[in-house]
Amino acid sequence: TEDIIADTVMHDRGVPYHVGHATSSGQLRVGTTPGNPVATLTIEPGVIVRFKSGGVFEIEKAASDPKAKASGALIARGTSDKPIRFTSAEASPARGDWIGLSFGSIPDPNTVLDHVFVEWAGKEISGGADSCMPGLTRAAIGIYGGQPANEFITHTTIAHSNDGFMCGWRGGQVDFGASNFFDDVARCKQTNPKDALGDCAGRPECAF
């Protein structure tokens, strides 16, 4: 596991970053301990990050109180000419190679993803949190804390995944479909969250 516990910049060096090796878990985690300043990872346009099989990018690991203030933030602003890419490190990539991006608490207000690709993610893990999708979670981007304040992910493409966005909170829906793109997503592009009482009455598993 690679833990980022202080403000860090991931520069575009012209070669991909590789998370995980033969004896590591392939986890990249951003966040610190409660009471410390928020740790922010800033990723420059053009950066490519490859994750080993089963790897995961955690922006704030799931806490016992998921509605607690996040201690990690991600600023990943790519451009149309130089998008940021999170992808598989496998020689022959396949859907579900790695887990994807996981937000364990309410995303920090500074967190933003723009012009990003998330590819070959959606590996099965247990539990759908407070989503209306029961059983196994297979999403490229999972949000498991409280309801986000806004659509903080824009102009982003999810490709070759089982699900797109896992909305694993209780409350209202945040529409991540309006300005994002989906290519070869096998099941839900976005799931529905449970309502404030933990009920899915009238809410199907998939928002779309």
Side-chain angles (χ1 to χ4, degrees):
T1 302
E2 298 293 334
D3 289 313
I4 295 173
I5 59 174
D7 290 354
T8 303
V9 177
M10 192 175 282
H11 296 285
D12 180 12
R13 307 291 190 186
V15 294
Y17 292 80
H18 191 109
V19 179
H21 52 77
T23 59
S24 78
S25 61
Q27 290 181 325
L28 177 61
R29 186 179 300 159
V30 182
T32 183
T33 54
N36 288 315
V38 173
T40 300
L41 173 62
T42 301
I43 302 179
E44 291 184 340
V47 165
I48 299 173
V49 187
R50 300 186 184 277
F51 291 82
K52 69 169 288 186
S53 177
V56 63
F57 186 6
E58 295 181 331
I59 304 91
E60 183 73 26
K61 184 174 176 62
S64 56
D65 178 7
K67 295 186 178 182
K69 181 179 178 181
S71 68
L74 172 64
I75 299 174
R77 283 195 177 96
T79 67
S80 57
D81 294 332
K82 297 184 70 175
I84 294 165
R85 193 175 297 269
F86 302 119
T87 189
S88 169
E90 298 300 294
S92 298
R95 179 185 287 117
D97 273 349
W98 63 293
I99 294 171
L101 280 68
S102 177
F103 295 86
S105 296
I106 300 174
D108 183 87
N110 292 320
T111 290
V112 59
L113 285 80
D114 189 57
H115 287 101
V116 173
F117 278 80
V118 183
E119 304 171 319
W120 308 111
K123 183 178 178 66
E124 292 183 348
I125 57 175
S126 61
D130 277 320
S131 168
C132 291
M133 175 64 72
L136 297 175
T137 295
R138 293 178 283 184
I141 301 176
I143 305 167
Y144 302 111
Q147 180 178 335
N150 52 41
E151 181 195 359
F152 64 96
I153 302 172
T154 53
H155 306 110
T156 287
T157 297
I158 296 176
H160 317 301
S161 177
N162 287 302
D163 290 318
F165 290 92
M166 171 63 72
C167 300
W169 64 81
R170 293 190 181 192
Q173 182 62 279
V174 176
D175 183 9
F176 287 103
S179 65
N180 294 305
F181 312 96
F182 305 87
D183 177 21
D184 188 31
V185 173
R187 197 168 57 167
C188 295
K189 295 180 175 67
Q190 177 172 325
T191 69
N192 270 311
K194 293 180 179 179
D195 65 22
L197 299 177
D199 195 355
C200 284
R203 295 184 179 187
E205 295 177 355
C206 299
F208 62 93

